[in-house]
Amino acid sequence: MTQNAPSTFNNMLLIAGFECRKFLFNLRGIIALIAFALVWGILLLYPIQGASTLLMQPNIKDLIDGLLGNQALNVLFDWPVAEMAIFWCFALYLFPMFSILIAADQFSSDKTRGTLRFYTLRTSKDSLLFGRFLGQILIQGLLILLTILATIALALTRDIGLLLPAFTSGALVGVNLLIVILPFTAVMTLLSLYANTARQAMVLATILWTVVSIALLILGNQSSLFEGLQWILPGAQLSNMVNTNGLNSFAYAPIPLLQTAFALFLGRVYIQRSQL
């Protein structure tokens, strides 16, 4: 077993690297990158830049406090870089959506074509499972990095003196977003093992989030366990994370990490027992 461990780990890294190359140099991947860049370019130039300008207005805090309450978004005004604060609000919800779209076809197409069985003859199922999961995280990590660098550039066009706080805030935001997308990617890893197409995996994800949300809502009306049960669903902590900044955001990190471990455990059980 100890002799197989290094080869399993090396194969996992090779598979992760191949997934990155396939996304970056494949036609579908290039189209996805272009679409991603266009979406975030529009967001940065219009809503994010416009909202960050409003955020710096002296009377806007009183207006938001009047509409949403004194503690609803008060921490946003403590961010050293307004552009990064607005980016944080957008990215917390958009990157999980991108994660579901990007990670939907980890296994489904290969399973339908029969190539997944071919891969398992040449590497272990663990290497394949965790290698593709790691590859998806690396791809999304690259996308997060690019958008953060673009946000930093946007802030520097307003004030070059924001260089250090922009990079510091950007690093904390990047690590937080990477943790946030982990359970979404892990769930799509599990669903793509079951589904026959990427579209079917996304449909299953939609059904899963809808059914679990409704079930938790019903339980919340009838049970005092709702506070604990709500953390079952990936992304349940996002509404609480919006009104945080800096190291305080990491207080919610254990939730997605535990969700990721559980989803990957289910994925490993499924891939080990299935015939593919």
Side-chain angles (χ1 to χ4, degrees), residues 92-215:
L92 269 179
Y93 291 97
L94 289 180
F95 271 105
M97 294 173 58
F98 283 129
S99 181
I100 292 173
L101 293 173
I102 292 172
D105 195 20
Q106 293 179 63
F107 294 100
S108 53
S109 295
D110 284 333
K111 189 175 72 170
T112 303
R113 290 194 298 263
T115 52
L116 198 57
R117 184 186 297 272
F118 172 80
Y119 292 142
T120 56
L121 294 175
R122 284 152 179 81
T123 187
S124 68
K125 291 181 177 180
D126 282 346
S127 296
L128 194 60
L129 177 73
F130 295 110
R132 290 202 167 179
F133 171 77
L134 178 60
Q136 293 298 321
I137 295 300
L138 292 176
I139 291 168
Q140 294 173 71
L142 175 62
L143 297 179
I144 290 171
L145 175 63
L146 293 176
T147 52
I148 288 176
L149 290 176
T151 306
I152 292 172
L154 180 65
L156 295 182
T157 59
R158 177 172 60 86
D159 184 359
I160 192 66
L162 295 173
L163 180 63
L164 183 58
F167 271 101
T168 303
S169 299
L172 292 173
V173 167
V175 175
N176 262 302
L177 290 177
L178 205 59
I179 294 172
V180 164
I181 64 169
L182 285 174
F184 290 90
T185 307
V187 169
M188 295 313 296
T189 300
L190 175 61
L191 293 179
S192 66
L193 280 169
Y194 177 79
N196 293 320
T197 64
R199 181 177 298 178
Q200 186 181 13
M202 287 188 285
V203 170
L204 290 174
T206 303
I207 295 172
L208 173 66
W209 259 271
T210 302
V211 170
V212 174
S213 298
I214 294 173

Side-chain angles (χ1 to χ4, degrees), residues 51 54-55 57 59-74 76-77 86 243:
L54 286 175
L55 198 65
Q57 299 299 320
N59 59 340
I60 195 68
K61 186 177 187 301
D62 295 333
L63 177 62
I64 292 178
D65 286 345
L67 292 173
L68 303 177
N70 292 334
Q71 304 299 320
L73 295 174
N74 60 307
L76 284 182
F77 296 91
I86 303 301
N243 196 36

